[in-house]
Amino acid sequence: MVLQFDEEPRIENPRSYPPEIVGELRSLLSAGKPVQRDPRRKDIYEIQGCDSTLYVYVSPLTRTVVLLARWSREAHPSCVEMAGGIA
């Protein structure tokens, strides 16, 4: 599934993640990266970056994206290849 927005979404950052993380989320959304819907929570999604997973809430009324959590994980092999072998 891909989240689609009519215009660039407003991103709220209640946990004060660094601007780089918010930029990563904005890039992933703009690129149309697939998301996984949380099966237990309405309007909550996981988005996989190259070396992290972002957990977001998307308001069905305002379409605002709220960055709830981010955690690191091992870089996906395709990302390592794109970075020239540097993870």
Side-chain angles (χ1 to χ4, degrees):
M1 160 182 222
V2 175
L3 296 175
Q4 296 181 342
F5 299 91
D6 294 333
E7 55 191 52
E8 188 171 313
R10 181 169 173 255
I11 297 176
E12 291 183 7
N13 183 15
R15 295 183 182 238
S16 300
Y17 282 100
E20 299 81 29
I21 303 303
V22 177
E24 176 186 12
L25 174 57
R26 189 174 308 284
S27 295
L28 292 169
L29 292 171
S30 295
K33 286 293 239 176
V35 300
Q36 292 286 359
R37 182 185 308 250
D38 186 314
R40 297 179 308 263
R41 295 172 184 87
K42 187 176 177 170
D43 303 317
I44 303 281
Y45 303 89
E46 286 186 10
I47 305 171
Q48 303 293 321
C50 280
D51 62 354
S52 66
T53 299
L54 299 153
Y55 198 63
V56 300
Y57 166 76
V58 180
S59 169
L61 298 176
T62 65
R63 300 296 288 163
T64 298
V65 177
V66 181
L67 177 55
L68 301 173
R70 177 197 182 264
W71 56 91
S72 298
R73 58 180 177 70
E74 190 172 313
H76 189 275
S78 65
C79 294
V80 173
E81 291 171 12
M82 288 190 309
I86 301 171

